[in-house]
Amino acid sequence: MKAFHCEVLHTHTHTKARVTRVTTSHGDFITPVFMPVGTRAGVNNMTPAELMAAGSQIILGGNTYHMLCAPGMEVIKQAGGMHSFMGWHGPMLTDSGGFQVFSLSKNKEICVIDEEGAHFSLPGSHRLIHMTPEMSLETQKIIGADIIMAFDQCTPDQCSREEVQHIMTRTHRWLQQSVDYHQQHPTSFYGASQALFGIIQGGIYEDLRRESADFVTSMDTDGIAIGGETIGFDMAATIEVIRWVRSFLPETKPRYTMGVGMSPQDLIDVVAEGIDMFDCVAPTRNARHGALYCGEVVDEGGWLSFCSEHENARIQIKKASYAHDLSPIMDSCNCYTCAHFSRAFLHQLFKQKSNSYTALASIHNVHVLHDVCAKMRKKIIG
């Protein structure tokens, strides 16, 4: 089994952007890289073959919380891990369940977070779960992803400084517990190499973000993630946070902004700041609701920009103006959908609430983000 490794191949002359090669037990991937999200053991409306054809190198497959809910760890074990279970045999990252716990904890009757972890009951059952850092890591080792995440508490934007500091301190303690467990159990349940990433918190406070970055990088994890509700949700604040912590980020480790990818431009913006990896549910969710990415990657002042005449760089395929439009979604796009189908056809499928529409739309949106990454890699290499 290959050990996890990150090698910087190229750096951009005008920005902080870089190209790296990351080696995992299930193959290499080249950054900058977007990871489609398969929270429940499958990227919505896309098969593994379609993901690969669209340009996917690595996916976020199988969220820890959702996999505990269904189908449960026994089924995953019997299948030989998440790769075999979902039929994806390339690199895979999974997350710790921390964001889902954060969402659940908004209702104290469903989930309560304390210093030890999170207490919640699995939906549709009477089974009570006490999610600790150790349990999260154990679950991720059964899932068998190539990259696993330390258990953290996602920091809400609407939080007092005192609360943010408390969450950050708790996350640091949980990171230490995660590292200790990973050192005692360095491979997956199936004996494959796994990389552990730590997560920087600290909310919207510069000094706390820097303190968190200093602590997380001192733990010598395999990669560094930047988390919190603001990351990917508020892009101006996301860029500011990256700049606050960038000097702490090791050159030889992957850098991952969690939840970035609402629009193609978001990827371009974080890569210019030195970020390598990102994930988001938006491409498939937008596709499902009729929002299809449409624009052009253009060279602008030594770097790139995603230019579009459409609001949020998307067309709304439900609009009557597309009912007779026989052009593809994007003239320059070479995805399967644009190569074979028109806006008028997709408009018709959407109106029919056809499953075929959702699949074809998801293929396009995911392909666009991968194509943006490919163009960034080409620009960085020069």
Side-chain angles (χ1 to χ4, degrees):
M1 286 291 182
K2 292 182 178 179
F4 184 86
H5 177 69
C6 177
E7 178 187 4
V8 179
L9 302 179
H10 299 276
T11 55
H12 190 232
T13 54
H14 301 302
T15 68
K16 302 294 183 182
R18 59 198 213 149
V19 170
T20 76
R21 177 189 292 113
V22 180
T23 299
T24 79
S25 290
H26 287 85
D28 297 353
F29 60 89
I30 306 296
T31 74
V33 68
F34 175 75
M35 297 180 286
V37 178
T39 302
R40 291 178 169 84
V43 176
N44 280 343
N45 307 297
M46 293 185 71
T47 66
E50 288 169 338
L51 283 166
M52 292 187 71
S56 300
Q57 301 182 68
I58 174 174
I59 65 170
L60 194 162
N63 168 268
T64 298
Y65 168 78
H66 289 295
M67 290 302 96
L68 279 171
C69 293
M73 288 303 105
E74 286 306 313
V75 174
I76 302 298
K77 279 183 187 177
Q78 290 168 11
M82 187 63 68
H83 288 87
S84 298
F85 184 64
M86 65 185 292
W88 172 264
H89 300 292
M92 181 189 298
L93 178 147
T94 191
D95 55 21
S96 67
F99 184 79
Q100 284 67 33
V101 166
F102 153 73
S103 299
L104 289 172
S105 66
K106 294 177 181 178
N107 185 339
K108 302 302 180 187
E109 295 182 4
I110 297 176
C111 177
V112 175
I113 298 175
D114 61 19
E115 295 306 310
E116 305 303 319
H119 303 260
F120 55 89
S121 58
L122 292 183
S125 78
H126 298 291
R127 183 185 172 196
L128 296 176
I129 296 291
H130 186 197
M131 178 77 85
T132 64
E134 292 80 5
M135 182 183 184
S136 174
L137 265 287
E138 179 186 15
T139 304
Q140 291 181 79
K141 289 182 177 297
I142 294 171
I143 288 172
D146 303 283
I147 300 173
I148 61 177
M149 306 302 296
F151 190 56
D152 71 322
Q153 184 176 352
C154 181
T155 311
D157 283 349
Q158 302 303 317
C159 237
S160 70
R161 179 187 169 83
E162 183 179 21
E163 289 172 313
V164 172
Q165 190 161 25
H166 184 71
I167 290 170
M168 181 191 75
T169 302
R170 179 184 284 163
T171 291
H172 292 172
R173 186 169 62 254
W174 288 354
L175 173 59
Q176 179 67 70
Q177 291 173 244
S178 297
V179 168
D180 290 345
Y181 187 90
H182 184 62
Q183 289 176 343
Q184 295 166 20
H185 310 275
T187 65
S188 73
F189 183 80
Y190 318 98
S193 170
Q194 286 185 303
L196 175 67
F197 283 23
I199 304 172
I200 296 169
Q201 292 291 342
I204 59 174
Y205 300 95
E206 179 176 0
D207 61 328
L208 296 184
R209 281 288 185 176
R210 291 174 65 85
E211 180 182 342
S212 186
D214 187 39
F215 181 87
V216 172
T217 55
S218 75
M219 296 301 292
D220 198 30
T221 56
D222 300 292
I224 309 296
I226 305 173
E229 185 179 18
T230 200
I231 303 300
F233 175 71
D234 181 337
M235 284 308 299
T238 297
I239 298 303
E240 191 171 39
V241 169
I242 296 169
R243 290 174 177 171
W244 289 343
V245 305
R246 191 169 54 211
S247 63
F248 294 90
L249 305 178
E251 289 293 324
T252 56
K253 295 183 180 180
R255 301 147 175 191
Y256 167 29
T257 45
M258 308 177 77
V260 167
M262 289 288 289
S263 76
Q265 185 63 45
D266 294 351
L267 308 189
I268 293 170
D269 291 343
V270 297
V271 169
E273 300 298 331
I275 299 301
D276 306 309
M277 303 167 60
F278 17 81
D279 76 283
C280 194
V281 299
T284 51
R285 184 180 62 201
N286 286 338
R288 206 159 55 243
H289 294 293
L292 306 177
Y293 297 136
C294 186
E296 295 289 337
V297 177
V298 299
D299 198 310
E300 195 171 80
W303 186 229
L304 303 176
S305 180
F306 192 82
C307 294
S308 175
E309 62 185 25
H310 306 285
E311 185 179 2
N312 296 320
R314 308 165 197 163
I315 64 170
Q316 301 295 331
I317 201 67
K318 67 182 179 182
K319 290 185 176 180
S321 58
Y322 297 117
H324 301 284
D325 188 341
L326 297 179
S327 61
I329 304 166
M330 284 171 55
D331 289 331
S332 62
C333 183
N334 61 0
C335 77
Y336 177 84
T337 304
C338 286
H340 293 88
F341 304 105
S342 67
R343 293 175 176 183
F345 179 68
L346 294 168
H347 171 85
Q348 173 70 6
L349 290 182
F350 183 82
K351 288 295 187 180
Q352 294 173 356
K353 299 182 179 179
S354 166
N355 290 335
S356 297
Y357 161 78
T358 312
L360 292 171
S362 295
I363 287 169
H364 170 75
N365 277 2
V366 168
H367 173 89
V368 169
L369 294 195
H370 289 325
D371 187 58
V372 168
C373 289
K375 286 180 167 64
M376 287 192 288
R377 293 192 294 268
K378 183 177 179 180
K379 180 68 176 177
I380 296 164
I381 293 170

